[in-house]
Amino acid sequence: MIDLYTWITPNGLKVSIALEEFGLSYRPHAIDITKGDQFLQDFLAINPGSKIPVIIDHETGITLAESGAILLYLAEKAGRFLPRQGAARHHAIEWLMWQMGGSGRRSVTPIIS
Ligand SMILES: N[C@@H](CCC(=O)N[C@@H](CS)C(=O)NCC(=O)O)C(=O)O
């Protein structure tokens, strides 16, 4: 089981989309960053950086922040979207970095506005 701490922002939504796409079991927890939930002690204990998204994977014991790192982790866990080796793996990471650099974040925004 994965606990997902998130809010309805592009960085939050991309992790929700990945979890759904991979069919992984998870429990979502709303961290309303418009009300300052990211600064509550319980959340700071999970991510001292005070940013969503964060996952805790109880199967492996890993707590992970940063949407790009989470997407890589989930792809490896699910065994999808991330080739194990070779040029195809590097190109998948290339596209991940492309979306982290801005274009992917902007393209998600209209869905929630
Ligand atoms: N580089 C981080 C950025 C995380 C981030 O900026 N999260 C925002 C919401 S999209 C946040 O938690 N903002 C709360 C704040 O800045 O106080 C990632 O990709 O996950």
Side-chain angles (χ1 to χ4, degrees), residues 7 9-12 14 33 38-39 43 49-53 65-68 70 100 105:
W7 190 243
T9 68
N11 284 323
K14 69 176 92 155
I33 64 170
Q38 70 274 33
F39 302 116
F43 183 69
S50 70
K51 305 279 188 209
I52 64 91
E66 289 296 323
S67 61
I70 294 170
M100 291 304 299
R105 296 174 62 217

Side-chain angles (χ1 to χ4, degrees), residues 74-113:
L74 294 177
E76 284 199 336
K77 182 180 178 76
R80 294 179 58 200
F81 294 178
L82 186 63
R84 289 183 189 280
Q85 60 190 9
R89 180 180 178 87
H90 295 296
H91 285 303
I93 293 171
E94 177 184 34
W95 280 108
L96 175 68
M97 297 304 160
W98 173 82
Q99 70 82 24
M100 291 304 299
S103 299
R105 296 174 62 217
R106 281 193 296 276
S107 67
V108 174
T109 304
I111 296 171
I112 61 166
S113 57

